[in-house]
Amino acid sequence: MTRANTTAEDLASHTAGIRDAVQRMAESSNEVGKAIESIAGGLNEQRAASTEIAQRVEMVARGIEETHAASAEESHRTDALVELSHALKESVRKFNV
């Protein structure tokens, strides 16, 4: 009977050890789950920030394109004024006395 008691005590001890190990695994699993949720939250924030940055870069690019178009238009107008100036100068030179 002593041997049976010893075996039963050993099994009970072993079972308690397994129970503790499973409990630690469950706790670790919960911690990993929380870490995954935290990482997912960070990735969502990063995605939102990246989207906002991309939108702002697009706005800047449109502004640059508009500025370039306005500059080109002003350059053409300046050229036209220079041509008019030369034509006026030629017309006035004909009237020199």
Side-chain angles (χ1 to χ4, degrees), residues 22-74:
V22 169
Q23 186 175 359
R24 286 192 305 272
M25 286 172 42
E27 291 169 358
S28 293
S29 178
N30 286 336
E31 289 178 26
V32 168
K34 290 176 184 177
I36 289 171
E37 288 175 6
S38 177
I39 291 169
L43 289 173
N44 285 334
E45 288 177 14
Q46 222 175 19
R47 180 180 39 81
S50 294
T51 299
E52 185 175 341
I53 289 168
Q55 290 170 343
R56 290 182 184 214
V57 166
E58 182 61 31
M59 287 173 49
V60 169
R62 277 188 298 231
I64 289 170
E65 289 173 358
E66 291 171 5
T67 300
H68 177 71
S71 294
E73 179 70 25
E74 290 305 312

Side-chain angles (χ1 to χ4, degrees), residues 47-97:
R47 180 180 39 81
S50 294
T51 299
E52 185 175 341
I53 289 168
Q55 290 170 343
R56 290 182 184 214
V57 166
E58 182 61 31
M59 287 173 49
V60 169
R62 277 188 298 231
I64 289 170
E65 289 173 358
E66 291 171 5
T67 300
H68 177 71
S71 294
E73 179 70 25
E74 290 305 312
S75 176
H76 292 327
R77 288 180 183 174
T78 300
D79 291 344
L81 285 173
V82 167
E83 287 179 31
L84 285 173
S85 170
H86 289 301
L88 183 59
K89 195 176 197 179
E90 285 298 315
S91 295
V92 170
R93 190 172 10 154
K94 292 177 185 176
F95 293 102
N96 279 342
V97 186

